[in-house]
Amino acid sequence: TIRFEDAPLFDALASCAITQISAFGPQGLTNTAWSFAVNDVLHEPLLDAIASAARATISKFLPRNLVGTAWAFAHLPVLDEHLMAAISCSALSLISEFSPLELSNTSWAYARIAWVDAPLLASIAASAILRIEQFDAQNLSNTAWAFAVLSITDAPLMSASSAA
């Protein structure tokens, strides 16, 4: 990943993106949020536009889009309660399609912004238990960290994690 530290460039990119945001699909919204996040650029008008467009099209998001968007907002960290609720709702219906990395990153994102969504986290735990042998050390530690930060005790998940 290349990092740029050019505020005028990011301002110009954000201004352009905002004017065209309605044409962005789920991947474009996710990629834009992600690129600003990995460069630690907090551009609130752009993030507001991304959140609004994402909420309007959340039913078209794939697991990677849901996770990437949640991760980007959490990394900065920006809490958009309506966006996170929409991501949670959509993720619940797709949780069986999430990879171990996507499960881990989702739990990390919610913990990073201290957003407790009990149904989503229970679903993440149940799905993780079913595929715990597919989790690598980073996935295991991020998931355990997230549940600990959110003060959620899921004994079956912790038992499965420690046995993995």
Side-chain angles (χ1 to χ4, degrees):
T1 302
I2 298 173
R3 293 200 66 212
F4 294 101
E5 295 182 13
D6 187 336
L9 172 62
F10 278 101
D11 284 341
L13 290 170
S15 294
C16 184
I18 289 168
T19 65
Q20 300 177 36
I21 205 83
S22 64
F24 285 27
Q27 195 63 49
L29 294 168
T30 302
N31 289 351
T32 304
W34 181 86
S35 66
F36 276 70
V38 297
N39 286 287
D40 295 318
V41 177
L42 177 58
H43 193 285
E44 291 184 26
L46 175 61
L47 293 173
D48 289 345
I50 290 171
S52 179
R55 288 190 310 268
T57 59
I58 202 81
S59 64
K60 297 178 183 175
F61 276 48
L62 299 173
R64 69 175 174 261
N65 307 126
L66 297 169
V67 176
T69 302
W71 183 92
F73 275 73
H75 177 80
L76 287 170
V78 172
L79 174 57
D80 183 303
E81 294 179 1
H82 298 293
L83 175 61
M84 297 311 286
I87 289 172
S88 294
C89 185
S90 190
L92 281 169
S93 67
L94 298 172
I95 205 75
S96 66
E97 298 175 30
F98 278 46
S99 70
L101 178 63
E102 290 166 339
L103 293 168
S104 172
N105 284 352
T106 302
S107 61
W108 177 90
Y110 280 72
R112 175 89 160 105
I113 57 172
W115 181 269
V116 177
D117 185 302
L120 176 62
L121 293 165
S123 185
I124 287 171
S127 188
I129 290 167
L130 294 174
R131 292 182 275 157
I132 203 72
E133 71 282 348
Q134 297 171 6
F135 277 58
D136 64 20
Q138 186 73 47
N139 301 148
L140 289 169
S141 63
N142 283 351
T143 304
W145 174 86
F147 277 71
V149 164
L150 294 171
S151 299
I152 296 174
T153 304
D154 189 294
L157 175 61
M158 293 307 120
S159 177
S161 295
S162 64

